Amino acid sequence: VRLLREGDVTIGLDRRAEITNEQRAAVYIALHATSGEGVRVYTSMVEPPSTAAVKLTPWENAQTGFLASSQLLATAVVAELKKKKVEATRIAAPLRPLNNVAATAIAVEVSLGPKDTRRLPEGLQENVVSAVTATITQAKTKIGSQL
Amino acid sequence: VIPRHQQIAVSILLFCVLLSGIFIIRLTHKEEAKTLEAARFDPVTPPPTGKTEHIRVLVAYDDDRALRWRETDAFLPTERNLRAKEVLRAALSQYFQVPSPHPLAKGADVKDVYLIGTDTVVVDTTAQFADGHPSGILLEEMTLTSLIETLTANVPGIARVKFLVDGKERETLAGHVDLMSFYSTAAIHDLAKEFE
């Protein structure tokens, strides 16, 4: 496991994808916190490159070849969260830098509750972490050997 | 008895005052004439032709994490890019109602809409639209989906949409959702269904 950020430093969106691709990561997981309720698991809204005969993968479409495994992983994470009685949904999103990541990639947005207290509701952090890690472990066979 | 030299001095002063008064009046008239002349040659833009229409706008509701259609009246010019601009402004105006279903920053607006060919639209927004937008994947995604779906519902034939902020490209709306890409309206239409 490699953390892109270990402190409060800003890394550009393109650079995040570059680091992930350079590492040849199997899975990229972006974690976000926001106001509202529930947990949402996002996959890219990438479109296939416009020309079928492209030999090099365009930067904007790097996720194309991994979209199916990303969707599979997102669905599995949502199912795991629901088992833990956490309200969760899977949605596609035009989210950067998911489109540029050449690996299975999801983003998990965890809500801080209706009144933004800047702290996650009790137990939610543990539930999200265990759901994501358990899913990656369990889904290894379903998604493929790259995991 | 007023001495003669004083009488002459006062007379000269009065004559000077009268002369300068006449000069000032003539100067004022000359300037007014110049302004009128210049105004006659200023290009005058005709008021946009169009009519008030009953349109559908897709509105984001933060509390329900949903998008729902609302109906509203808007004056829509016949020119396509002006029509697109007014349609987008009609959608944005929903968010300035009290209470707002999806609050946006004061000053969030559409500055201009440009058509590229027949099916591509570039929307230039004010800086406040992005600078003051609440940060969060869902909130940002709902804003863009609301605007693009409202646009395609009321201006037929649009296949791709791109957003600029104050005339320039920006990486994301408020840290998450992509503003660099051209959005396919078909893909956004599918996404909108997930929020209904």
Side-chain angles (χ1 to χ4, degrees):
Chain A
V1 177
R2 165 145 188 202
L3 291 175
L4 274 176
R5 296 195 302 167
E6 295 197 39
D8 192 13
V9 289
T10 304
I11 301 176
L13 296 168
D14 282 339
R15 185 66 195 133
R16 295 179 199 196
E18 279 172 10
I19 295 169
T20 309
N21 297 343
E22 284 163 11
Q23 299 276 319
R24 299 197 176 278
V27 183
Y28 172 90
I29 297 166
L31 290 169
H32 297 264
T34 188
S35 57
E37 288 177 52
V39 176
R40 288 164 296 279
V41 183
Y42 296 91
T43 52
S44 167
M45 266 181 71
V46 71
E47 287 180 46
S50 50
T51 48
V54 177
K55 288 187 179 168
L56 292 170
T57 307
W59 177 251
E60 311 80 57
N61 306 90
Q63 176 64 194
T64 306
F66 301 88
L67 193 56
S69 62
S70 299
Q71 288 169 341
L72 195 59
L73 179 65
T75 305
V77 169
V78 168
E80 192 65 30
L81 283 165
K82 282 182 175 169
K83 274 189 214 165
K84 294 176 187 298
K85 311 282 181 211
V86 176
E87 188 197 339
T89 46
R90 198 200 98 184
I91 318 174
L95 181 64
R96 295 200 69 204
L98 291 193
N99 285 7
N100 317 116
V101 172
T104 300
I106 60 169
V108 181
E109 188 175 51
V110 183
S111 299
L112 297 166
K115 287 176 188 168
D116 191 339
T117 55
R118 313 302 298 169
R119 288 174 70 89
L120 289 170
E122 202 176 326
L124 185 57
Q125 187 171 333
E126 292 75 16
N127 278 334
V128 170
V129 170
S130 66
V132 171
T133 49
T135 307
I136 290 173
T137 312
Q138 290 163 17
K140 216 172 176 180
T141 48
K142 289 181 194 169
I143 295 171
S145 56
Q146 58 178 328
L147 288 181
Chain B
V1 178
I2 302 168
R4 187 172 172 75
H5 70 273
Q6 281 186 355
Q7 285 179 359
I8 293 167
V10 169
S11 302
I12 290 169
L13 275 173
L14 284 171
F15 180 73
C16 287
V17 168
L18 190 70
L19 206 68
S20 56
I22 292 167
F23 179 72
I24 289 167
I25 289 166
R26 287 194 62 180
L27 206 65
T28 311
H29 284 175
K30 211 172 164 182
E31 283 305 310
E32 279 176 359
K34 261 190 200 172
T35 312
L36 283 172
E37 188 73 9
R40 209 188 304 163
F41 293 105
D42 274 352
V44 178
T45 313
T49 53
K51 59 180 179 180
T52 300
E53 290 183 34
H54 200 60
I55 61 168
R56 293 199 317 147
V57 292
L58 189 63
V59 181
Y61 291 83
D62 292 355
D63 289 347
D64 305 330
R65 283 164 283 158
L67 293 162
R68 290 192 207 106
W69 290 100
R70 263 190 195 175
E71 296 194 344
T72 187
D73 291 322
F75 177 81
L76 300 184
T78 44
E79 214 175 311
R80 213 154 160 248
N81 64 320
L82 295 178
R83 182 184 173 90
K85 182 180 174 181
E86 292 310 316
V87 161
L88 290 169
R89 297 186 81 196
L92 285 177
S93 71
Q94 302 293 318
Y95 302 127
F96 294 106
Q97 292 180 358
V98 182
S100 172
H102 177 74
L104 295 183
K106 195 180 169 189
D109 202 355
V110 174
K111 287 172 77 177
D112 270 309
V113 171
Y114 305 97
L115 282 171
I116 303 173
T118 54
D119 66 351
T120 302
V121 165
V122 177
V123 180
D124 185 16
T125 64
T126 57
Q128 294 92 324
F129 173 72
D131 292 345
H133 196 286
S135 184
I137 303 170
L138 188 74
L139 299 177
E140 294 171 43
E141 185 175 34
M142 283 165 76
T143 300
L144 291 195
T145 307
S146 154
L147 293 178
I148 296 171
E149 273 289 275
T150 301
L151 186 65
T152 49
N154 297 289
V155 186
I158 294 171
R160 301 197 317 152
V161 181
K162 179 173 169 68
F163 288 87
L164 300 177
V165 178
D166 204 18
K168 299 180 192 80
E169 285 193 311
R170 193 174 282 206
E171 275 200 320
T172 62
L173 177 53
H176 302 93
V177 167
D178 186 15
L179 282 194
M180 296 297 281
S181 308
F182 278 83
Y183 282 103
S184 149
T185 54
I188 293 294
H189 186 66
D190 292 340
L191 179 64
K193 284 180 191 162
E194 294 187 39
F195 286 102
E196 284 175 10

